[in-house]
Amino acid sequence: MNTYRWMSKRFFIFYMTWGIFLPYWTGWMIIEKGITVSQASFIMSLGLVARGLSTLFAFPYLSEKFSAKTILNGMAIGTFIAILCYIPANSFTSLLAVTFLLHIFYPTLMPALDSAAGHLVQSKQLKHYGKSRSWGSIGFVVAGLILTVLTGSFGDSVILWILLLGIMVFIVLVFLRAPVILSEKPKNDPTKKGGIRELFRIKYFGLVLTIVILLQAAHASYYNYGYIYLQEIGAPKYLIGVIINIGVIAEIIFFLIADKKFQRFSVGSLLALAAFGSTIRWILVFAFPNVIVFSISQTLHAFSFAMGHYAFMKYLINNIPQTKIPRAQGIYSALALSWSTAVFTIFGGFLYEIEPKYAFIGMIICTIPSMLFALLFRYLANKKEVAIVRNDAMVDH
């Protein structure tokens, strides 16, 4: 089996659905269900709490009991059922309940796919993570382009139906034959069991996790309010999808070249560059509230998201034992992609209602500390490498 093609197809379809959900869903609930920005912020924040609980506890537990393929199958079906429940939901309470249910299943597919890719890389069955992951970003772009045309022609109600269709295609894919290593049930080894505390005993895991938590939290305002902010600053509706996808195109380019061009960069250097690019990005959006500068700032998504995510995956593959990858992915998804984003979604919503552009400059409260921590990690890691080289030289002498 060609594992590159297998992994790439599933990345492509999942992130195609994510390209519908992430930038458009908050706006869809506001426009189609008639709720306020504050209500939508609260709903999505609670959803992120559910996502964190699912990825931190349920996903690692299930990974110890079932194969990666079985987990993908179950979570995909649960996602489809949850999205169907949005059709009759029209009140704040019902939307809150359905969003909570959706976030138990849907976002868990992300660490499940990354864990599968990590297993394949460590077992030498997948050569380049970045190249395969780039297909996910391509799927994200394709979704945006499709929605740009369809929402312009049929209105925002089409968002729900396209998301349902995408999930149906993903279900078909995950039920097809998978690489043997992903179809095997995990082998329980009592001598190698360890909870979350065991991960934090791995050198610098806590520091690297802190950095990526801050990096990903800084996207909260963009993910939840970018769509309506573009309308606020006068972007034509038919161009909003294109503008959003500038960031994803930059992300694709990064993932395509990362394995070759950034192979020699240390994890600390990559994280520091990601934090610096993210800081510049949000300063630009705040200082120049117009469509052209917003579009230019989108190219920095290659730094703020793609480089930060790639750096974490590089650290994980090089430092985390295979048996602990699902738990590490669960922690990353819960803390970096869920709970921290939930907190800053509420914070960003508060700033947005005062002045829309404040929601973006407020994100440097995450990016500047993450840059300082990244430089600290780079210094400590380099210091350790120098010490190892000196010790080796003394032994040889």
Side-chain angles (χ1 to χ4, degrees):
M1 176 178 288
N2 188 319
T3 55
Y4 167 71
R5 289 181 183 175
W6 190 93
M7 202 73 244
S8 298
K9 286 177 183 177
R10 282 139 190 86
F11 271 136
F12 177 82
I13 297 299
F14 171 75
Y15 280 98
M16 189 173 176
T17 68
W18 198 245
I20 300 166
F21 179 77
L22 191 63
Y24 292 97
W25 205 247
T26 302
W28 175 80
M29 286 195 295
I30 292 169
I31 296 166
E32 290 297 311
K33 298 296 183 177
I35 59 176
T36 66
V37 172
S38 296
Q39 288 175 324
S41 298
F42 183 80
I43 288 172
M44 294 303 287
S45 295
L46 188 66
L48 288 170
V49 172
R51 172 182 175 180
L53 291 171
S54 179
T55 54
L56 183 60
F57 299 110
F59 171 63
Y61 175 78
L62 292 172
S63 297
E64 294 174 357
K65 305 293 181 182
F66 303 99
S67 68
K69 186 178 187 299
T70 300
I71 293 172
L72 287 169
N73 292 348
M75 293 300 170
I77 293 172
T79 299
F80 182 74
I81 293 171
I83 295 173
L84 283 176
C85 292
Y86 273 101
I87 296 173
N90 287 304
S91 66
F92 171 77
T93 304
S94 60
L95 288 169
L96 187 67
V98 174
T99 301
F100 190 90
L101 177 66
L102 177 67
H103 278 77
I104 291 174
F105 295 103
Y106 186 32
T108 306
L109 291 168
M110 192 182 300
L113 287 170
D114 270 332
S115 291
H119 284 325
L120 292 173
V121 171
Q122 287 192 337
S123 60
K124 309 298 182 185
Q125 295 183 47
L126 181 65
K127 189 175 182 181
H128 298 302
Y129 167 80
K131 189 177 179 182
S132 181
R133 175 60 178 77
S134 69
W135 281 100
S137 302
I138 292 170
F140 197 100
V141 170
V142 170
L145 294 175
I146 291 172
L147 276 187
T148 297
V149 174
L150 293 180
T151 54
S153 301
F154 303 104
D156 291 303
S157 61
V158 77
I159 293 171
L160 171 69
W161 304 110
I162 298 301
L163 180 58
L164 274 171
L165 179 61
I167 294 298
M168 289 174 64
V169 174
F170 185 78
I171 290 172
V172 172
L173 278 179
V174 295
F175 270 87
L176 296 176
R177 188 168 65 96
V180 175
I181 192 174
L182 301 182
S183 300
E184 295 175 345
K185 288 185 178 180
K187 297 176 182 178
N188 294 322
D189 185 350
T191 64
K192 293 185 178 181
K193 279 191 175 181
I196 293 174
R197 284 182 295 179
E198 291 297 315
L199 279 172
F200 283 91
R201 289 173 184 161
I202 296 172
K203 196 77 170 180
Y204 303 127
F205 178 76
L207 181 56
V208 171
L209 183 65
T210 299
I211 296 165
V212 293
I213 285 172
L214 291 169
L215 277 174
Q216 297 300 344
H219 293 87
S221 290
Y222 169 67
Y223 289 154
N224 289 281
Y225 313 115
Y227 179 60
I228 57 175
Y229 180 70
L230 282 167
Q231 296 179 16
E232 182 81 27
I233 59 177
K237 195 163 188 177
Y238 65 89
L239 281 180
I240 290 178
V242 176
I243 294 168
I244 288 172
N245 280 308
I246 291 172
V248 192
I249 291 169
E251 179 183 312
I252 292 169
I253 293 170
F254 174 82
F255 281 129
L256 284 172
I257 67 173
D259 293 317
K260 290 184 178 179
K261 300 297 182 181
F262 294 95
Q263 187 177 13
R264 295 185 179 182
F265 280 63
S266 68
V267 173
S269 296
L270 290 170
L271 290 171
L273 284 170
F276 178 75
S278 185
T279 303
I280 298 301
R281 181 183 186 182
W282 308 129
I283 290 174
L284 284 173
V285 173
F286 167 76
F288 305 98
N290 63 72
V291 176
I292 293 174
V293 175
F294 190 100
S295 301
I296 294 171
S297 74
Q298 285 290 81
T299 61
L300 293 172
H301 196 68
F303 290 85
S304 65
F305 172 78
M307 188 175 284
H309 180 75
Y310 180 82
F312 179 76
M313 286 299 296
K314 183 174 182 177
Y315 173 83
L316 184 149
I317 291 168
N318 291 340
N319 297 277
I320 306 296
Q322 185 171 323
T323 55
K324 291 184 173 67
I325 283 182
R327 190 165 294 278
Q329 282 288 353
I331 293 172
Y332 171 62
S333 183
L335 301 183
L337 302 177
S338 304
W339 290 346
S340 63
T341 307
V343 171
F344 282 91
T345 294
I346 296 173
F347 175 61
F350 171 75
L351 293 176
Y352 192 93
E353 291 196 327
I354 297 173
E355 170 63 47
K357 64 180 182 179
Y358 289 172
F360 298 93
I361 193 63
M363 295 301 105
I364 67 170
I365 199 173
C366 296
T367 62
I368 291 176
S370 69
M371 183 162 50
L372 296 176
F373 284 134
L375 292 172
L376 173 62
F377 169 63
R378 183 175 180 272
Y379 169 76
L380 293 173
N382 287 345
K383 189 176 179 181
K384 181 184 176 183
E385 288 177 8
V386 169
I388 291 172
V389 170
R390 286 178 178 172
N391 289 336
D392 289 344
M394 289 176 67
V395 170
D396 292 340
H397 180 71

